[in-house]
């Protein structure tokens, strides 16, 4: 069993850009917005994780049924149990790879980016 990596955090309802110890972010003339690339990673996580959970539940149910003595009364049944066990292992590895790649990308992507839209200017052009 694997533990899921940390999920990217969606923007909080009242979340604002971070403030440094010297005051507002480096350039007060620049506006900040939540990074759309980071937002896409949040959406990807929220889309993929429930689907992976559903697949795991279905395979777990099939595995439990296949292991039941009422399902198989022939030695060939063990082959199907082994096949389902292998599918479960592959799904666990796939899940770990997909969620880790999203989590790693989110860790390398800034949550806030600067934008020039709606930024105050001392001298209008």
């Amino acid at each position: 069993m694997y533990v899921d990596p940390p999920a990217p955090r969606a923007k909080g309802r009242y979340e604002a850009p971070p403030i440094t110890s010297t005051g507002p972010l480096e350039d007060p003339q620049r506006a900040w917005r939540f990074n759309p690339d980071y937002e896409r990673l949040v959406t990807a996580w929220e889309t993929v994780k429930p689907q992976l959970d559903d697949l795991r539940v279905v395979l777990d149910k099939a595995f439990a049924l296949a292991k039941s003595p009422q399902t198989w009364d022939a030695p060939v049944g063990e082959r199907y149990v082994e096949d389902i066990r292998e599918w479960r292992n592959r799904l666990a590895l796939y899940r770990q790879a997909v969620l880790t790649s999203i989590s790693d990308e989110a860790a390398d992507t800034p949550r806030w980016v600067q934008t020039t839209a709606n930024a105050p200017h001392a001298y209008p052009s």
Side-chain angles (χ1 to χ4, degrees):
M1 181 53 97
Y2 297 100
V3 176
D4 289 341
R9 292 180 299 119
K11 181 180 178 225
R13 186 173 190 175
Y14 299 108
E15 183 178 357
I19 296 177
T20 64
S21 60
T22 60
L25 294 167
E26 298 83 33
D27 185 2
Q29 296 298 316
R30 302 293 298 266
W32 291 81
R33 69 180 176 136
F34 197 72
N35 190 346
D37 292 334
Y38 192 90
E39 208 166 339
R40 282 191 279 278
L41 292 169
V42 171
T43 302
W45 182 282
E46 292 172 351
T47 302
V48 167
K49 189 170 181 309
Q51 293 174 353
L52 291 170
D53 290 340
D54 290 346
L55 285 172
R56 186 180 62 201
V57 167
V58 168
L59 276 176
D60 288 347
K61 183 177 178 181
F63 184 72
L65 288 172
K67 284 188 69 158
S68 170
Q70 289 82 20
T71 305
W72 306 105
D73 62 355
V76 72
E78 186 59 34
R79 184 178 70 208
Y80 294 111
V81 171
E82 287 301 317
D83 285 347
I84 295 172
R85 182 177 290 126
E86 179 61 28
W87 295 339
R88 289 173 68 210
N89 290 338
R90 287 182 184 181
L91 178 62
L93 291 172
Y94 179 73
R95 173 192 178 97
Q96 186 70 16
V98 168
L99 294 181
T100 298
S101 67
I102 294 172
S103 180
D104 288 350
E105 186 68 26
D108 294 338
T109 304
R111 289 175 55 81
W112 295 90
V113 292
Q114 289 185 338
T115 179
T116 56
N118 297 328
H121 298 283
Y123 302 103
S125 319

